[in-house]
Amino acid sequence: THQCLDEVSGTATQDEIKKKLGPPAGVRTLSTDETVWVYRNTWRDSHQQIRCHEYELTFSTQKVLQRWNDVYG
């Protein structure tokens, strides 16, 4: 996912991202009118602890992916 997001930052639209990753788990709008989509992956580790990994994708007002953050929970 990292390499894929790096390759399409600055060019991919929200529709293209949704086709590749599915609908986001959450959406919010920043004060700059940029939109942030959150994708979440949860699993149990070898000790049966629940782990969470999130990606936050920020889109311009033109709905083009500008940047993304890798967030571990």
Side-chain angles (χ1 to χ4, degrees):
T1 301
H2 297 136
Q3 184 179 359
C4 175
L5 292 172
D6 283 339
E7 290 174 0
V8 300
S9 289
T11 59
T13 65
Q14 288 178 344
D15 287 341
E16 292 168 333
I17 294 293
K18 193 181 289 186
K19 284 179 187 173
K20 183 78 171 174
L21 301 178
V27 176
R28 69 180 187 277
T29 303
L30 303 177
S31 61
T32 59
D33 288 332
E34 294 174 307
T35 304
V36 177
W37 286 11
V38 177
Y39 285 90
R40 188 173 295 120
N41 182 19
T42 57
W43 71 95
R44 289 189 183 273
D45 66 14
S46 60
H47 302 288
Q48 297 303 307
Q49 302 264 339
I50 296 176
R51 300 290 180 198
C52 180
H53 187 185
E54 289 185 352
Y55 296 97
E56 294 182 340
L57 284 62
T58 303
F59 294 90
S60 68
T61 55
Q62 292 80 30
K63 300 182 179 183
V64 174
L65 178 63
Q66 296 302 297
R67 61 191 175 280
W68 64 276
N69 294 314
D70 194 2
V71 182
Y72 284 92

